[in-house]
Structures are given as structure tokens and as C-alpha cells.
Amino acid sequence: MALVVVCFLVILVIFANVSKISVSEPNLYTYIPEELVNILEDGCFLGVNDRASREIVEIFLSLLQAFANERHVTIGRVNLENFQWPGGEHLKIDGIDCKSREFTEHSACIGPIPNVVFFAKTSIDRSCLLSPSYTKLRPRAAVISGRDLNLETLVEYVNGKCQTFRTVDGGLLPAGRQKQYIVDNVFNVSNVSNVTMEMLYDRGGVLDLAFTQGFLSDRSSHRTCQKEGCMVNERAREEEGGGGYLEILQCKIINSDDIGPEEFFHEYIKQSRPVIIKNAVVNWPAWHKWSQEYLWEKYGNKTVHVKLTPGGDFEGVERAELWEDYEQFVIPDTVMKKLPYPDLVVVRPAGLNVKFSDFLNLITKAAQQSIRNVSAYLEYSSIREYMPELLSDIEEFAFVKDKLTLRHLNMWLSDGNTVGRLHFDPFDNFLCQLRGKKQLLLFEPFNNSRLYEGHIPQATLHYNHSDQSFRRKTLEDSTSMVMSPIDLFKPDLKRFPNFKSARPLTCTIDEGDALFMPAFWWHEVYSYPNVVEKRNLAVNFWYEPFLLKEFPCPECKMDVNPYYFHLLY
Ligand SMILES: *[C@@H]1O[C@H](CO)[C@@H](O)[C@H](O)[C@H]1NC(C)=O
Ligand SMILES: *[C@@H]1O[C@H](CO)[C@@H](O)[C@H](O)[C@H]1NC(C)=O
Ligand SMILES: *[C@@H]1O[C@H](CO)[C@@H](O)[C@H](O)[C@H]1NC(C)=O
Ligand SMILES: *[C@@H]1O[C@H](CO)[C@@H](O)[C@H](O)[C@H]1NC(C)=O
Ligand SMILES: *[C@@H]1O[C@H](CO)[C@@H](O)[C@H](O)[C@H]1NC(C)=O
Ligand SMILES: *[C@@H]1O[C@H](CO)[C@@H](O)[C@H](O)[C@H]1NC(C)=O
Ligand SMILES: *[C@@H]1O[C@H](CO)[C@@H](O)[C@H](O)[C@H]1NC(C)=O
């Protein structure tokens, strides 16, 4: 999934019609451009020109107090007379015609010297390793009129631009108190479970998660049991009589009839807390209508894009050297330096455009085991785009409809023997199970150094239709930003030791149920077929997330998405 971070560079300049007397005021620190570059990587800056009048400096002393407790807002002085960014670039001000308004021969684009400047936080494009370093992008400026130059309007201005909720005396507005409360009270697995991955690996517990569900067992001959983990698991089973069996923390389960929109918002969305909603979809028309025959009739001739892998394993991480073009493939040095695990690749499944009826045949044959080595998956297939008539058969949940904004609505269909490897999605998710079930292993998104978040190069499998074989053929010049390099079945704990302290949560979505999975929770997904229909069918709603985080950035914190500030009251 390619994600774009939009640039957000704003500078505000405030001109005031006052005489320029130099005032020295010890409490207001004068920042030099080099320091501003660092400050702006972490937050915004409101600065008063060194030569501004005493009245304006007085206002700034009050501003300093008002934002004293905001880590991401800096208030200070700045010398705009001779302002030059490191590297020599001059200060540019929005709305000033560079050609006609020159004030010194060296500073071509600054115009009249302003009294007050505002710099927004530098937006970092974390998505593209080839893009120029963000420190080279210098912020520009804009202007507000002199009559707005008082404490109240400046506090309001900074609040609007820096996503803060301060009052003139440094207190928090009610919305700010609520935002703080939300951030301080996110659901925390450590508060309710002591079980770490290290403990589970010591006892084979992770593998039990899969094996107790019967998953992989019938395919194990060509997949799982070749891995060491399998033996660990068998040993653990033998020892089971000795007690000490560990329970992974289970997802909370609620009934859709028992919860109202406000309660759901407070208990789950705001707390970023995963929860299973029982019988959430049994009243959808789709529950009865979407049989294999019905879908065939309606969309049989439609071309769909499906994903194929040899063993039902979707998007794991493996050694790059296993790939055919490894020797020829060159990654530019500048990119290489930014890759935390340059020897690994995310394995993307092969893609194939087929008639929907052919896809249905393929999964039927796979279920009957007349095809053994090909697993086909209709993954995140947009219902709105490809099958809009089906929209009337499903419903958004009442408890989110008026709160969150829907971004994507997808269908997922397979023979029900698939794994989606450990990753996160930047959306609040309602995953709704129409046939078969899914079991997920989740990890909270609050300390991603444990999951080793980062850019990992991608590679795409090639599929040969005539002999149904796969080749590890193409290393791509793109990276994935949402996959963990950790193989749950065979973790390299020497290389990824922090994973030992991660605490898992497991959620099982039975047929007819839905899982609310907040954005950025890491998850590995095991799918199982409905025993009669031999398929797994799910629909998911991806919403603009309530809590947001920059990524890849293991140390970045989650915070309330500014898009939803209107929901803070
Ligand atoms: C989890 O525990 C920490 C530390 O004990 C505490 O500050 C926090 O409020 C707890 N969170 C919840 C949601 O209970
Ligand atoms: C979760 O709780 C633990 C201890 O209970 C605490 O150390 C940690 O900071 C908490 N994490 C978050 C994101 O609140
Ligand atoms: C974690 O383990 C400690 C020590 O065994 C125990 O006192 C505590 O209650 C446990 N906490 C949880 C959340 O299970
Ligand atoms: C698919 O196309 C064929 C040939 O055009 C047609 O005979 C058949 O009725 C179509 N099937 C469906 C389900 O629309
Ligand atoms: C299926 O995979 C197994 C193990 O990788 C291999 O031995 C066998 O030849 C494959 N069968 C086909 C039909 O490709
Ligand atoms: C696909 O497999 C067939 C049969 O083994 C082979 O003849 C053909 O060259 C393969 N195609 C490609 C593109 O590798
Ligand atoms: C994040 O997890 C690592 C590994 O367990 C730990 O060393 C580090 O202190 C944690 N950081 C925070 C902020 O909790």
C-alpha cells in the first residue's frame, strides 16, 4: 500500500505598524536559523523580530507563558534582518512579490521586515527514501494584519496552526483536556497481561495458537513443519501435562445490541481498544445472499485482480538473496543507508487478472485439493469500485457512521487457508466475517521498536499459469512501510531482541461477527474456511483513523487525528 504524506509548510508573517526599537529581554531567547531547523523538525515556532517594539515583545512574554507546557510549540526571538538558513537559502515570505520588494541586496524574497514570523512544523516525507532530505525544504511565510497582533488572537492562531488547545494564561481548553485524557488512557496490553513473546516461545505457545485451530496442519508437509518452530511446538505439547500453560490475552467480546454509539466511541475508538462484536453482520442481506452461486451469476464474467502464492502465505519477510535477480539488483547507496534491514525483502504475492468465475473455480479446486500448490486470494478488493451493486447488501455500523469517515470498503475472499503476515494498516478497521473465521495475533502500536517498524524492500513473486509454478523473480525498487521483519513462526530473536518483551493479544472473528481493530495495531491474520462452503468471505471498512501516528517511525507517538478535533468537546 503506497502512502503519501502531504507537505505542510506554512509561515506566517505579521507586520505591525510600530517603530522598530531594539529591546533586550532576557527571558525571550533569540534563536538562530540552525537551531530553528531542529526545532521545526519537532514542532512549530512563533518568533518576534529582534527589532520589534516593546509592546510586541510584551505580548511575546505572555505567549511564552501560555505555551510553556507545549513541547511542540516554541516561542522566541529571531533576527530577521540577516536571516539565512544553513546552506545559504534566504527567508521567503508567502504573498510577497520577490521581484519588486527587495530590502537588501542579499535577501531577494523577504520584502518589508516583519515583526512576527510563524514557522509550521517541517513535514517529513517518510514514505520515499529517494526524496530530498527534508532539512533542505525551508518553510515559507504568510501575513496577517497588524490589528490581530494581540495576545488572544496570537494564542488562537498558534492553537489553530500547531494543533494545541491553550488558553491565554497557559491552561487547557476543554477540548485540550480531553485530548490529553485520551492520549493518557489508551488501552494498554501491559496493564492486563504479563505474557510476553519470550515466555510463549519458551513454551511453544505461538504455534499452539495456529495448531489448536487446525490451521496449517494439512498443509504442513510442504510448509510449516519444515521449520524449526514446529518441533518446538510438539515438544511443548508433550510437556503440557506439567502445567504452566500460558494463555494469550483474549480480545474483549461485546454484543452489538448492547452498545450505543457514544459508549462505543468512548470505550473502543478513543481508547484504541480492539473488540469483537458478536453477531454484527447476521442481519445484513449479504449474510444469506452472497452464496458462491449468487456471486458467480452476478459477477462471473467480470475481470478481477487476484493474488496468488504457493502455500497460502501472504506477504512474509525473507532473505533477499533467495531471489533470482539478487546479484543484478542495485540499491542506490543513499537509499541503502536508510534501510534498517537491507538483506530482507517483503514477499508480495503474484498478481493475476482473471474472470471472477475462474477465480471461484480456483478456490473451489484448492479446497478440494485438486490444486495443491496455488492459493488464490481476492484481497482488499474495492466493493465500491468493482461491485457497487453489492453495497445495498451490507451496512455501516450505527456506532461509527456519524463519527468516523469511511475511506475504503473491501471484499476478501479465499479458500480459507491463508495467512496475512505481521503488519499494520493506517486505518480504523471493522473486519466483518460472512463465512469461515479468522484468528488474529495483535500487538499494540505504542512502542514500535519492539516490532521493528521500518522500510523493507519489496519483491514480487511470478506465477506461471501453464505449469502452476512460482518463481522468486523480481526485486522491486520500492519499499513496504507497514510490515514487521519478524517471522512469528521462526523469529530471529538475536537480531530482533526487543520483540521478546512484546505482549500479544488474540482475537477470533467467528462467522457473523466483526472485529473493531484500531489503526496501527500490528496483526497477523490466520483464515479458516467455512467447513461446508469451503471458503472464507469477509468485508472490511477502513476509516480515517481517530488516533494517528507518523510512520515508519518506531519512536513516534500516537495522538488524536486533527481531522477529528471537532469530536473533542
Ligand atoms: C496502565 O498502567 C499505567 C501505569 O500503571 C497507568 O498510568 C495507566 O493509566 C494504565 N492504563 C489504563 C488504561 O488502565
Ligand atoms: C502501558 O503500561 C505500562 C505499565 O503498566 C507503562 O509502563 C507504559 O508506559 C504504558 N504504555 C502506554 C502507551 O500507556
Ligand atoms: C503480573 O505478574 C505479577 C507477578 O506474578 C502479578 O502480581 C500481577 O498481578 C500480574 N499482573 C497481571 C496484569 O496479570
Ligand atoms: C458471460 O458471458 C457469456 C458470453 O458472453 C454469456 O453467455 C454468459 O451468459 C455470461 N454469464 C454471466 C453470468 O453473465
Ligand atoms: C507442489 O509443491 C511440492 C513441494 O514444494 C513439490 O514437491 C511439488 O512438485 C509441487 N507440485 C506441483 C504440481 O507443482
Ligand atoms: C511456464 O511453464 C512452462 C511449462 O513448464 C514453460 O514451458 C514456460 O517456459 C514457462 N513460462 C515462463 C514465462 O517461464
Ligand atoms: C520500548 O521497548 C523497548 C524494548 O522492550 C524498551 O527497551 C524501551 O524502553 C521501550 N520504550 C518505551 C518508551 O517504553
Side-chain angles (χ1 to χ4, degrees):
M1 185 183 319
L3 286 130
V4 181
V5 180
V6 182
C7 271
F8 177 63
L9 302 173
V10 185
I11 306 177
L12 163 75
V13 180
I14 301 156
F15 294 96
N17 195 13
V18 281
S19 57
K20 289 172 183 138
I21 317 155
S22 187
V23 217
S24 79
E25 178 49 66
N27 292 331
L28 215 49
Y29 179 80
T30 303
Y31 292 90
I32 57 170
E34 282 78 2
E35 290 170 316
L36 284 182
V37 168
N38 291 330
I39 284 166
L40 295 178
E41 275 172 32
D42 199 43
C44 57
F45 176 77
L46 189 75
V48 60
N49 188 14
D50 247 359
R51 301 241 188 125
S53 70
R54 176 169 286 280
E55 291 98 303
I56 299 179
V57 172
E58 292 292 333
I59 296 173
F60 266 70
L61 288 170
S62 303
L63 281 170
L64 195 62
Q65 304 269 297
F67 290 98
N69 290 321
E70 281 302 335
R71 279 200 308 129
H72 302 294
V73 178
T74 305
I75 307 286
R77 278 174 185 283
V78 60
N79 179 350
L80 295 174
E81 246 71 13
N82 303 304
F83 194 97
Q84 209 172 61
W85 293 109
E89 209 178 310
H90 294 293
L91 182 62
K92 294 198 183 81
I93 299 169
D94 267 2
I96 291 192
D97 180 347
C98 291
K99 285 183 197 107
S100 61
R101 307 289 293 271
E102 300 185 359
F103 90 107
T104 73
E105 56 184 9
H106 301 298
S107 301
C109 276
I110 190 160
I113 300 171
N115 281 308
V116 178
V117 283
F118 175 78
F119 296 90
K121 180 177 191 281
T122 317
S123 99
I124 302 176
D125 184 358
R126 298 183 189 276
S127 64
C128 181
L129 296 175
L130 276 172
S131 67
S133 161
Y134 55 86
T135 50
K136 298 227 173 65
L137 301 170
R138 305 304 180 198
R140 295 182 64 86
V143 180
I144 62 167
S145 73
R147 68 176 179 278
D148 288 339
L149 208 61
N150 61 54
L151 184 61
E152 284 72 21
T153 52
L154 285 175
V155 167
E156 206 174 304
Y157 184 85
V158 172
N159 279 339
K161 293 287 183 188
C162 307
Q163 281 135 27
T164 53
F165 293 91
R166 288 289 157 183
T167 58
V168 288
D169 56 6
L172 277 174
L173 294 163
R177 286 201 295 274
Q178 198 184 132
K179 181 166 167 290
Q180 192 58 51
Y181 181 84
I182 290 169
V183 171
D184 290 345
N185 286 278
V186 290
F187 174 69
N188 184 335
V189 173
S190 307
N191 284 11
V192 275
S193 169
N194 277 339
V195 177
T196 63
M197 288 314 285
E198 183 172 35
M199 292 155 74
L200 285 169
Y201 284 124
D202 284 349
R203 307 194 201 187
V206 179
L207 293 146
D208 265 6
L209 170 80
F211 280 94
T212 53
Q213 300 295 328
F215 179 71
L216 299 176
S217 51
D218 52 352
R219 287 177 183 236
S220 59
S221 56
H222 70 270
R223 192 169 51 192
T224 319
C225 275
Q226 287 162 4
K227 300 188 176 182
E228 281 165 19
C230 205
M231 291 177 313
V232 172
N233 182 62
E234 276 151 16
R235 200 168 57 234
R237 279 173 178 280
E238 280 160 23
E239 288 169 4
E240 204 183 307
Y245 197 76
L246 289 169
E247 288 234 19
I248 302 177
L249 181 67
Q250 301 278 329
C251 236
K252 190 172 171 190
I253 299 174
I254 57 171
N255 215 309
S256 61
D257 296 336
D258 299 345
I259 192 145
E262 285 311 312
E263 197 187 342
F264 194 86
F265 184 52
H266 290 285
E267 299 281 316
Y268 303 103
I269 296 174
K270 286 203 285 194
Q271 289 188 30
S272 180
R273 178 170 194 177
V275 62
I276 292 285
I277 307 146
K278 291 305 280 181
N279 298 316
V281 301
V282 296
N283 294 321
W284 286 2
W287 178 249
H288 297 292
K289 264 167 89 176
W290 291 7
S291 64
Q292 206 82 325
E293 296 71 28
Y294 177 80
L295 294 175
W296 181 297
E297 286 277 298
K298 215 158 174 188
Y299 297 104
N301 282 343
K302 201 170 178 78
T303 300
V304 289
H305 184 75
V306 301
K307 295 292 201 283
L308 305 171
T309 71
D313 204 330
F314 285 78
E315 318 205 318
V317 171
E318 66 180 22
R319 294 202 320 280
E321 65 187 23
L322 294 171
W323 288 67
E324 285 178 25
D325 51 355
Y326 178 69
E327 296 296 335
Q328 293 85 51
F329 195 75
V330 181
I331 300 176
D333 272 356
T334 51
V335 172
M336 198 72 176
K337 271 190 227 136
K338 295 185 206 161
L339 291 176
Y341 328 108
D343 60 319
L344 299 179
V345 286
V346 169
V347 181
R348 293 287 183 209
L352 191 66
N353 289 325
V354 290
K355 270 171 60 176
F356 194 62
S357 55
D358 290 338
F359 166 72
L360 294 176
N361 276 334
L362 208 56
I363 60 173
T364 304
K365 283 187 193 152
Q368 295 161 347
Q369 304 216 340
S370 58
I371 296 180
R372 283 179 179 278
N373 291 4
V374 183
S375 175
Y377 204 165
L378 185 75
E379 283 194 298
Y380 38 76
S381 196
S382 167
I383 297 178
R384 292 196 282 202
E385 197 173 323
Y386 296 107
M387 306 171 177
E389 303 86 347
L390 294 183
L391 289 175
S392 55
D393 296 340
I394 58 183
E395 265 165 67
E396 261 185 275
F397 296 116
F399 37 79
V400 277
K401 218 158 66 188
D402 301 325
K403 298 272 190 225
L404 304 183
T405 301
L406 187 61
R407 296 291 184 214
H408 303 278
L409 175 45
N410 305 302
M411 183 191 277
W412 304 72
L413 177 58
S414 75
D415 67 357
N417 292 289
T418 59
V419 200
R421 292 292 175 191
L422 199 53
H423 71 284
F424 65 82
D425 301 303
F427 300 104
D428 282 346
N429 192 356
F430 281 84
L431 180 51
C432 310
Q433 204 60 44
L434 286 164
R435 287 299 179 270
K437 69 176 180 179
K438 290 189 198 289
Q439 187 168 33
L440 292 88
L441 200 65
L442 279 76
F443 299 93
E444 62 192 17
F446 304 110
N447 183 350
N448 285 344
S449 64
R450 291 182 185 143
L451 276 292
Y452 294 87
E453 183 182 42
H455 281 272
I456 308 177
Q458 316 193 85
T460 306
L461 290 169
H462 277 224
Y463 176 65
N464 184 334
H465 207 32
S466 62
D467 70 353
Q468 295 171 0
S469 67
F470 287 87
R471 285 169 68 187
R472 288 184 165 96
K473 201 164 170 312
T474 313
L475 293 167
E476 309 280 354
D477 54 5
S478 61
T479 59
S480 165
M481 299 181 283
V482 298
M483 295 290 305
S484 168
I486 291 156
D487 180 342
L488 276 181
F489 281 85
K490 202 181 172 184
D492 184 345
L493 296 176
K494 285 208 175 66
R495 186 171 187 186
F496 305 118
N498 289 349
F499 186 57
K500 288 193 256 181
S501 63
R503 298 183 194 208
L505 170 69
T506 178
C507 309
T508 304
I509 321 173
D510 285 319
E511 213 164 87
D513 299 348
L515 166 67
F516 168 64
M517 178 166 52
F520 301 103
W521 276 76
W522 297 88
H523 53 287
E524 179 145 314
V525 185
Y526 305 88
S527 293
Y528 313 97
N530 169 297
V531 283
V532 177
E533 298 182 12
K534 304 212 182 308
R535 62 181 181 139
N536 188 294
L537 174 61
V539 162
N540 94 297
F541 298 80
W542 262 332
Y543 290 91
E544 175 72 24
F546 184 75
L547 289 166
L548 198 59
K549 149 185 198 310
E550 288 181 39
F551 68 94
C553 176
E555 304 299 326
C556 284
K557 300 266 180 291
M558 303 263 282
D559 207 340
V560 176
N561 185 345
Y563 182 87
Y564 290 120
F565 277 178
H566 63 278
L567 295 178
L568 300 171
Y569 33 80

